[in-house]
């Protein structure tokens, strides 16, 4: 059933419109599932299943799907198209995350970055869909225009790669942006001897003023003397900017 038809049915039932973009076509969903590497018997978490197109594709691949859906009307309708789905109705940023083998999801774009960081805490392989511009930041190498704090925060936790590119026409209604499915393989945890919160705070501080050197960026919070001592001890050139520092360098900092 085309998403437009299914939406008309649900809108009549719920008496309101859903402000989301839904995958069109089983073939696209099956391609995403294949690229994601979902295997029979795996317990797979899906965030925001919507009309269930990706949910059904995961079930056909033999996965046992746990779905978290914020919209209560969509959640109520999901078992009709995906019988056997384990459903959690709530906010994926707030509800306890279940124990799973893998995550495959079309993330809500308005919370995609913080939700991605939260899902990385599960330490399992993931395939997550983002707006293309966000995906570019996730996979960006040091020195590139799109390399930033999100790049570092994600890449210290996982190996990242592009899996699937999707045009606006792959969704209903068609968004104004292109989308990309990004793959994540967990790395060995190494935040340079500090906890993840401290690591992320340092990275955000370093990138807080992209045109400034690291010395100037850190001086704003630490003072110039302490900032210089920190960077010297880390064997990092104080005159470099944040985008020039690779993951190993951020661990040293």
């Amino acid at each position: 059933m085309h998403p437009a038809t299914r939406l008309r049915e649900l809108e009549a039932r719920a008496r309101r419109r859903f402000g989301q973009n839904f995958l069109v076509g089983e073939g696209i969903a099956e391609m995403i599932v294949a690229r994601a590497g979902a295997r029979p018997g795996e317990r797979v978490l899906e965030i925001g299943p919507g009309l269930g197109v990706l949910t059904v594709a995961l079930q056909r691949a033999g996965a046992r799907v746990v779905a978290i859906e914020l919209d209560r009307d969509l959640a109520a309708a999901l078992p009709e198209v995906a019988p056997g789905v384990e459903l959690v109705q709530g906010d994926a940023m707030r509800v306890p995350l279940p124990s799973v083998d893998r995550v495959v999801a079309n993330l809500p774009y308005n919370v995609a970055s913080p939700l991605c960081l939260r899902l990385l805490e599960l330490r399992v392989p993931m395939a997550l869909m983002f707006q293309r511009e966000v995906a570019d930041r996730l996979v960006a190498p040091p020195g590139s225009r799109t390399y930033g704090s999100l790049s570092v925060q994600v890449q210290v936790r996982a190996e990242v790669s592009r899996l699937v590119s999707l045009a606006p026409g792959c969704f209903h209604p068609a968004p104004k942006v292109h989308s990309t499915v990004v793959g994540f393989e967990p790395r060995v945890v190494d935040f340079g001897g500090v906890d993840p919160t401290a690591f992320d705070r340092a990275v955000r501080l370093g990138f807080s003023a992209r045109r400034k050197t690291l010395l100037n960026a850190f001086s704003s919070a630490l003072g110039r003397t302490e900032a210089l001592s920190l960077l010297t001890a880390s064997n990092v050139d104080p005159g470099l900017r944040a985008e020039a520092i690779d993951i190993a360098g951020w661990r040293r900092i």
Side-chain angles (χ1 to χ4, degrees):
M1 180 184 297
H2 192 279
T5 304
R6 181 62 173 160
L7 280 173
R8 283 194 294 271
E9 290 182 357
L10 296 180
E11 287 161 3
R13 185 187 310 176
R15 300 184 183 278
R16 66 182 185 84
R17 297 196 62 83
F18 301 106
Q20 300 178 33
N21 305 98
F22 302 96
L23 277 174
V24 175
E26 297 175 357
I28 296 172
E30 289 174 354
M31 177 178 64
I32 292 172
V33 170
R35 298 282 178 86
R39 303 185 182 115
E42 282 189 330
R43 184 171 160 86
V44 177
L45 175 62
E46 183 184 6
I47 307 295
L51 300 178
V53 175
L54 188 57
T55 316
V56 171
L58 285 165
Q59 289 182 326
R60 286 177 177 167
R64 296 176 292 122
V65 183
V66 184
I68 300 177
E69 175 59 64
L70 176 61
D71 190 295
R72 64 177 181 274
D73 297 310
L74 291 174
L78 184 64
E80 297 176 16
V81 296
V85 63
E86 184 179 332
L87 184 62
V88 177
Q89 195 272 306
D91 185 346
M93 286 296 296
R94 298 178 180 276
V95 301
L97 294 176
S99 175
V100 294
D101 301 304
R102 190 178 301 271
V103 183
V104 182
N106 174 7
L107 297 184
Y109 286 173
N110 60 329
V111 294
S113 296
L115 184 50
C116 172
L117 289 172
R118 186 176 193 223
L119 292 170
L120 283 168
E121 296 174 8
L122 291 172
R123 308 293 303 156
V124 298
M126 305 195 300
L128 307 177
M129 190 185 302
F130 300 88
Q131 184 175 327
R132 183 171 62 186
E133 287 74 14
V134 176
D136 289 344
R137 292 164 57 200
L138 292 171
V139 304
S144 65
R145 181 178 58 84
T146 50
Y147 183 73
S149 58
L150 180 63
S151 315
V152 177
Q153 289 174 271
V154 168
Q155 291 175 28
V156 75
R157 292 167 165 86
E159 298 279 353
V160 293
S161 61
R162 288 185 178 88
L163 298 181
V164 183
S165 296
L166 298 172
C170 295
F171 301 86
H172 175 83
K176 296 180 180 180
V177 298
H178 286 69
S179 302
T180 303
V181 179
V182 177
F184 301 80
E185 290 291 334
R187 286 182 184 267
V188 174
V189 177
D190 180 2
F191 294 101
V194 299
D195 63 62
T197 301
F199 180 91
D200 291 344
R201 186 166 58 245
V203 171
R204 288 194 299 269
L205 178 60
F207 280 97
S208 60
R210 291 186 67 95
R211 294 188 177 185
K212 290 185 177 181
T213 64
L214 280 172
L215 177 58
N216 288 336
F218 281 115
S219 293
S220 64
L222 304 176
R224 193 171 184 84
T225 301
E226 187 173 346
L228 181 59
S229 176
L230 166 69
L231 293 168
T232 301
S234 304
N235 195 28
V236 172
D237 183 348
L240 292 176
R241 294 176 177 172
E243 61 264 29
I245 309 302
D246 61 12
I247 300 300
W250 284 108
R251 287 194 182 108
R252 295 198 303 276
I253 291 173

